[in-house]
Amino acid sequence: MSRFRVLLLICLLALARPLFAEGHIRIAIGEWPPLISASQPGNGVIPTLISEAFATQGITVEYGFFPWKRAFEEVRQGRWQASAVWGRSPEREACCLFSERVYSDEVVLFYNRAKPVHWDGSAVGVEQLRGLTIGLPLGSAKTPLLEEAERRGLLKYEAGGDETGNLRKLAAGRIDAVDMVKGTGQWLISQRLDADEAARLATTAPLQRWDYHLLFASQPADNRRYLEAFDKGLATLRANGREAELWRRFLAAPR
């Protein structure tokens, strides 16, 4: 074979090799302590779980930290291949692919004890929330029934800042409630708020259970192969007990 043909074959093989074959994926994430944080070993329990799931398939992971809204945009615009972790919403499903469930938590409304919020999570009972202003971190999804209530003009959302900032606004009486998953909210109250602020806050009963997923850009098409590889790796960690072990270690660790 001539030198020219050898070089041509090498070039064609390089062009034909999919990104997947490189065994590397770039995932945009944001601070969500204690589950995801640059200050935690392995960036937290969720990134550790994701990295180990991919590792079973021979894929390494690179993480980049961004504000959550930008992390989503980085994926939607194809600059990063995936982001972790997200609940499903129509906006996200229109442009992205979702992995199997990575994490679940209960959605609640945090409220100020000086102005209790009584809602059982039902469509009928949502009338009890009339006139409330509900805080939401920028880039987070709204609880569906509350989003519908906002469209009907029963209440309004005030989106901005991060979760800690919203809880402080609630403690100060500047908003009426915060739409947030229970586990994260309780950790932030115990770790980031002072004792006086923490004593002012309480939660409704759980409104629903929210599942979180690894979210992939729908293009290029090779991202679907990354999704399939991740789901396969996650299933492996669940079958061999490694996922349960990671969560046991996380829950037992002092924070």
Side-chain angles (χ1 to χ4, degrees), residues 49 52 56 233-245 248:
L49 176 63
E52 291 197 14
T56 68
L234 185 61
T236 297
L237 298 186
R238 286 177 174 162
N240 66 20
R242 177 58 177 167
E243 180 193 38
E245 179 188 352
R248 280 196 302 270

Side-chain angles (χ1 to χ4, degrees), residues 9-248:
L9 180 59
I10 292 171
C11 290
L12 289 173
L13 288 173
L15 290 172
R17 185 178 63 184
L19 181 62
F20 178 81
E22 295 179 6
H24 186 75
I25 186 171
R26 300 169 73 236
I27 300 178
I29 56 179
E31 287 284 336
W32 194 26
L35 301 171
I36 304 173
S37 178
S39 66
Q40 297 283 339
N43 294 317
V45 62
I46 286 178
T48 297
L49 176 63
I50 290 169
S51 295
E52 291 197 14
F54 274 119
T56 68
Q57 308 303 303
I59 300 169
T60 59
V61 179
E62 172 189 349
Y63 292 105
F65 277 85
F66 301 93
W68 280 108
K69 186 174 182 179
R70 183 180 164 193
F72 174 66
E73 289 299 324
E74 291 293 317
V75 173
R76 178 157 62 177
Q77 296 180 26
R79 291 190 289 267
W80 287 67
Q81 292 147 291
S83 184
V85 284
W86 298 85
R88 291 182 178 273
S89 72
E91 177 191 18
R92 297 166 189 166
E93 290 179 324
C95 64
C96 297
L97 308 171
F98 287 78
S99 74
E100 290 293 320
R101 175 190 58 80
V102 176
Y103 171 69
S104 293
D105 203 346
E106 295 172 330
V107 179
V108 298
L109 287 180
F110 286 82
Y111 61 84
N112 192 310
R113 294 178 189 275
K115 190 178 179 181
V117 172
H118 302 289
W119 183 44
D120 60 3
S122 70
V124 174
V126 78
E127 288 284 345
Q128 295 174 286
L129 306 181
R130 183 179 291 275
L132 296 190
T133 297
I134 299 175
L136 188 75
L138 202 60
S140 294
K142 302 170 183 177
T143 296
L145 271 177
L146 297 179
E147 187 173 21
E148 173 60 25
E150 183 184 35
R151 283 193 290 267
R152 291 167 52 200
L154 290 178
L155 53 85
K156 66 177 181 179
Y157 271 93
E158 185 176 297
D162 60 14
E163 289 161 322
T164 303
N166 274 282
L167 289 169
R168 286 188 172 132
K169 285 167 65 177
L170 179 61
R174 299 204 303 272
I175 52 178
D176 302 307
V178 173
D179 185 351
M180 192 185 302
V181 293
K182 186 176 182 178
T184 299
Q186 290 180 330
W187 184 86
L188 290 170
I189 289 170
S190 68
Q191 299 293 318
R192 301 289 175 83
L193 273 60
D194 62 38
D196 184 56
E197 290 174 320
R200 298 176 196 169
L201 303 185
T203 76
T204 62
L207 309 177
Q208 66 178 86
R209 194 153 191 89
W210 196 259
D211 291 340
Y212 291 87
H213 310 261
L214 185 55
L215 177 151
F216 295 80
S218 56
Q219 295 296 329
D222 275 332
N223 283 346
R224 186 173 291 276
R225 298 176 66 189
Y226 279 106
L227 184 156
E228 292 169 355
F230 173 74
D231 283 349
K232 184 177 179 181
L234 185 61
T236 297
L237 298 186
R238 286 177 174 162
N240 66 20
R242 177 58 177 167
E243 180 193 38
E245 179 188 352
L246 287 173
W247 283 109
R248 280 196 302 270

